[in-house]
Amino acid sequence: MYLVSRSVATMTDAIEDKLLSVSVALQTKADVKQPEDACNVTITYTLPNADIDEANQLLNANPAKRIMLAGQGYELPSQTTLIANARVEANTLSIQHKDILQSSALGKNRASVELLYATLAQSRATLSPNSKNTEAWPASLIDRERSLCESEYISESNANACTCKTDLISKKVSPRQLKYIKYLASDPYSSATGALSRYKELSDQVSFECKLKKR
């Protein structure tokens, strides 16, 4: 629930695809001494090696960024299994505050997993020069993007201009890739990395072709 609440699009997709999993094991009183109103648990994150390799390749291409992140206490996972112990309040099922700080094992694992998928979002949102999409957009996505277009653009000569724009973009961008683009666009830091530059160029080109202009 915590990882999903972070709303990192690539991370929620990895959970949905069962590539990223979380397991919680209760430690018995024989394992550890604990008060009656608390329990100790072991929380294990299991990650796909392919995602770790892909994120490392991205940061290897930008060593200055890796150094900057390390200076702030952030680093990518080095293995596919991350294990941490934490104490849970039995009545509320909430993890004690000291165990979610980034200085703790669980807090460090949480930050590491989030960094992994935030990094992947930047590469997976980037359009290739000859990008093509063969996956049909669901009707709900088409309606949402068309409504968004109508709220931001106007056309004096094309009554179906927003339908035109949505159709042309859907031929270049898959539903998931659009989700990653929207995620990055909502993050001021990520949107400044240049990952969205090709999408912006595509959007501007399509707006021109469909005779749209900003309201």
Side-chain angles (χ1 to χ4, degrees):
M1 289 177 63
Y2 171 80
L3 294 182
V4 170
S5 75
R6 302 300 294 165
S7 299
V8 179
T10 37
M11 187 159 67
T12 53
D13 280 346
I15 294 171
E16 180 182 326
D17 295 342
K18 302 188 185 307
L19 298 174
L20 166 60
S21 64
V22 184
S23 64
V24 181
L26 179 65
Q27 297 177 6
T28 66
K29 289 188 180 298
D31 297 325
V32 61
K33 292 181 179 180
Q34 53 191 336
E36 293 298 325
D37 62 346
C39 58
N40 283 61
V41 296
T42 299
I43 299 177
T44 303
Y45 294 151
T46 304
L47 309 161
N49 194 61
D51 286 355
I52 296 174
D53 288 345
E54 182 182 344
N56 271 300
Q57 288 176 13
L58 292 167
L59 288 189
N60 287 343
N62 190 351
K65 182 177 181 181
R66 188 190 289 274
I67 293 170
M68 179 193 72
L69 289 168
Q72 297 172 350
Y74 293 96
E75 59 182 25
L76 292 175
S78 59
Q79 54 194 20
T80 57
T81 302
L82 304 178
I83 302 173
N85 295 327
R87 178 166 287 185
V88 176
E89 301 293 349
N91 294 330
T92 63
L93 295 184
S94 61
I95 297 172
Q96 290 191 353
H97 179 68
K98 67 182 180 64
D99 288 330
I100 61 177
L101 299 175
Q102 198 171 324
S103 56
S104 71
L106 177 60
K108 181 179 179 181
N109 286 354
R110 283 180 165 186
S112 185
V113 171
E114 186 170 344
L115 172 62
L116 169 69
Y117 285 100
T119 300
L120 292 178
Q122 293 183 35
S123 64
R124 294 177 181 177
T126 302
L127 296 176
S128 63
N130 300 311
S131 177
K132 289 184 180 179
N133 172 50
T134 58
E135 181 182 352
W137 281 18
S140 59
L141 177 59
I142 293 173
D143 291 343
R144 186 166 65 247
E145 288 302 302
R146 187 165 53 227
S147 295
L148 180 61
C149 170
E150 290 169 352
S151 71
E152 296 180 345
Y153 293 87
I154 191 171
S155 177
E156 298 174 350
S157 58
N158 184 357
N160 298 311
C162 281
T163 297
C164 167
K165 179 169 184 174
T166 302
D167 181 60
L168 289 178
I169 288 183
S170 71
K171 289 178 168 58
K172 297 283 189 180
V173 184
S174 72
R176 275 200 171 181
Q177 192 169 32
L178 184 65
K179 187 198 305 186
Y180 303 155
I181 288 168
K182 299 286 185 179
Y183 160 70
L184 291 184
S186 68
D187 182 344
Y189 171 75
S190 295
S191 63
T193 63
L196 301 182
S197 58
R198 284 204 182 112
Y199 176 75
K200 186 180 185 305
E201 290 172 3
L202 171 65
S203 180
D204 290 346
Q205 176 187 343
V206 167
S207 294
F208 176 77
E209 292 177 9
C210 295
K211 297 178 171 57
L212 284 163
K213 63 180 181 179
K214 282 278 190 180
R215 286 186 178 276

